[in-house]
Amino acid sequence: MKRITQFDGLYGDSLARPDGEYLFSELLETRSRTFDWVVHPHIHPHLFQVFYIETGEVAFQGPPVQTQQLQGPCVLLIPPAALHGFTYSTDVTGRILTLSDSLVEALFAPSSGLASLLHQVWYVTTFEPPYSAAFVLDLVEQIDAELFADMPEKRTMLQAYLHQLFIVLHRLINQNNDDQAAPHTQAIVHFRQFQRQLRQATAASTVAEIASELAITPVHLNRVCRLVANKSASQLMQEHITNEARKYLTYTSYSVSEIAYLLDFEYPNYFAKFFRKHTGVSPTAFREQHAGGG
């Protein structure tokens, strides 16, 4: 089975680890041109993206093998953990806003209708009064201008702009909402709940325990993980533990034994064996290779 590429940061940046306040704006054509107008299907576990396509055409690919042909002006909303890829025409122009999942969740009260934007891919292909395509683009550009300016109360102004943008998009989606069916909406909801549980997982955690916390069966949890991330729940848990170990080894002075116990391994040699299996090197060798990484 082909593995889906995952980026914690922007597409093509395998090293970035954005924080909870992450907000970035860029021209759509800048990154797309770098990759010869083809962005292969991938996921961002913790990033929400708004694509404003001003001119040109795009073939949007979403899960599982679904392609939507779109033409500017249009808007695409990609929630965290949603598979997406693009093939652009060479004359495409537009902008991309990227926000951390925690920043977006802070903007939307769970009971708000806006929260529905978090759980599936949405697209706006027609703009009806009072919200023209130019009106939406102006909001996106105001966010871009504020983000890169140095003005008093910058954070408050950005929150106000973002609230306005998402309210407008929510209204347009309600106007546009014809065939935007979402057969995988519930799977994405469960996957994001799984990701939250995963942040507290240790080597002693089991798939069955996490599935129980989510009130679903382990079989269902594995089905969700394979649908959204093309990996089993166990694989994702092992990746989490491996990444946590890497961080401890790179950025702390804890001994290998201390890290083993912090990650809830029964014995340090179990941790060493696990780490070598998943990285190809021992914890000590990894630390030596990444000395000064902090």
Side-chain angles (χ1 to χ4, degrees):
M1 184 179 289
K2 187 176 180 180
R3 180 168 294 184
I4 301 300
T5 305
Q6 173 177 309
F7 292 102
D8 290 325
L10 299 176
Y11 182 81
D13 188 350
S14 58
L15 300 178
R17 298 291 186 273
D19 62 26
E21 292 290 311
Y22 185 76
L23 173 61
F24 189 69
S25 171
E26 66 179 347
L27 290 172
L28 185 152
E29 54 268 34
T30 302
R31 190 171 299 268
S32 304
R33 186 183 295 111
T34 301
F35 295 99
D36 200 24
W37 309 105
V38 177
V39 173
H40 295 290
H42 62 285
I43 64 170
H44 302 284
H46 305 296
L47 296 179
F48 185 104
Q49 293 188 296
V50 179
F51 289 76
Y52 184 97
I53 297 147
E54 186 175 7
T55 63
E57 299 179 353
V58 58
F60 165 70
Q61 185 178 342
V65 184
Q66 171 187 339
T67 301
Q68 178 76 25
Q69 298 291 334
L70 301 169
Q71 185 168 4
C74 65
V75 178
L76 271 162
L77 279 73
I78 313 293
L83 180 71
H84 59 290
F86 307 95
T87 300
Y88 297 104
S89 61
T90 56
D91 61 343
V92 74
T93 62
R95 284 201 169 272
I96 307 172
L97 292 178
T98 303
L99 305 82
S100 68
D101 56 355
S102 56
L103 178 58
V104 175
E105 288 172 357
L107 292 170
F108 304 159
S111 59
S112 166
L114 295 175
S116 65
L117 301 180
L118 287 171
H119 302 313
Q120 74 173 80
V121 172
W122 294 102
Y123 49 89
V124 176
T125 55
T126 60
F127 299 83
E128 300 179 15
Y131 307 120
S132 65
F135 182 93
V136 176
L137 177 59
D138 184 60
L139 283 176
V140 173
E141 290 180 334
Q142 287 183 68
I143 292 169
D144 178 85
E146 184 69 24
L147 181 61
F148 295 106
D150 187 17
M151 301 286 284
E153 300 299 329
K154 176 177 178 176
R155 182 177 181 180
T156 302
M157 182 63 84
L158 282 170
Q159 288 178 337
Y161 282 145
L162 288 167
H163 270 119
Q164 186 178 7
L165 174 65
F166 283 116
I167 289 170
V168 168
L169 291 175
H170 184 250
R171 290 175 178 178
L172 284 169
I173 286 167
N174 285 338
Q175 294 170 356
N176 277 242
N177 191 12
D178 41 24
D179 297 321
Q180 298 195 46
H184 306 297
T185 298
Q186 192 58 45
I188 291 176
V189 172
H190 281 145
F191 186 75
R192 287 181 51 70
Q193 292 171 339
F194 168 70
Q195 287 181 307
R196 294 190 186 98
Q197 293 293 328
L198 197 57
R199 293 170 192 170
Q200 281 75 52
T202 69
S205 303
T206 67
V207 172
E209 288 171 349
I210 293 183
S212 178
E213 291 290 330
L214 302 181
I216 59 177
T217 67
V219 172
H220 189 179
L221 178 56
N222 270 308
R223 188 180 300 122
V224 164
C225 290
R226 290 199 178 279
L227 179 65
V228 177
N230 209 14
K231 297 177 183 178
S232 69
S234 178
Q235 284 176 299
L236 292 170
M237 290 172 68
Q238 290 168 4
E239 287 182 1
H240 165 74
I241 298 301
T242 303
N243 288 334
E244 289 298 297
R246 285 192 181 105
K247 285 190 282 188
Y248 278 126
L249 289 165
T250 303
Y251 300 111
T252 77
S253 59
Y254 289 127
S255 70
V256 171
S257 294
E258 288 172 328
I259 294 171
Y261 290 118
L262 284 169
L263 295 175
D264 219 5
F265 283 88
E266 189 172 1
Y267 300 107
N269 61 316
Y270 288 2
F271 167 59
K273 184 177 179 180
F274 173 92
F275 191 84
R276 181 184 288 276
K277 176 182 176 181
H278 292 280
T279 67
V281 297
S282 70
T284 301
F286 180 88
R287 171 167 274 171
E288 290 172 352
Q289 292 169 5
H290 295 79

